[in-house]
Amino acid sequence: MDKTTLKTINVSDKGQITIPREIQTMLGIKKGDRLILAAKDKRLLIQKASSLERQIEDDFKDLLKLSEKTTAKSLWDNKEDEIWNKA
């Protein structure tokens, strides 16, 4: 089961925040890691860029498999298009 950790942090005069050490350790965040910041409906999401990149690659891998096996194959094997080859 995923553990939920809540921490209160302060925003500096420069708009900077510090991620508490406990959360850095839990998420494997290290110095120099790139983070992605997303805001929607007054909510803020911070995620490691590397984990999001892996997620996107996995999502696209599945989409490519589907498109190659179904869509592309059905387009290339479409008998109705053979009419154009009989000229």
Side-chain angles (χ1 to χ4, degrees), residues 70-79 81:
T70 56
T71 307
K73 183 165 178 45
S74 67
L75 290 173
W76 287 109
D77 292 343
N78 186 351
K79 299 293 183 202
D81 286 342

Side-chain angles (χ1 to χ4, degrees), residues 27-70:
L27 299 178
I29 297 172
K30 298 180 182 86
K31 180 181 178 179
D33 281 350
R34 291 183 6 228
L35 303 176
I36 294 174
L37 192 66
K40 182 178 180 184
D41 298 330
K42 297 185 179 186
R43 292 181 183 200
L44 188 62
L45 169 73
I46 301 174
Q47 185 170 353
K48 286 180 68 172
S50 59
S51 66
L52 185 60
E53 289 167 356
R54 280 192 300 276
Q55 181 181 344
I56 290 171
E57 287 173 3
D58 289 345
D59 290 347
F60 274 94
K61 188 181 344 175
D62 293 339
L63 289 173
L64 286 173
K65 284 180 188 175
L66 283 174
S67 67
E68 289 172 357
K69 288 182 180 178
T70 56

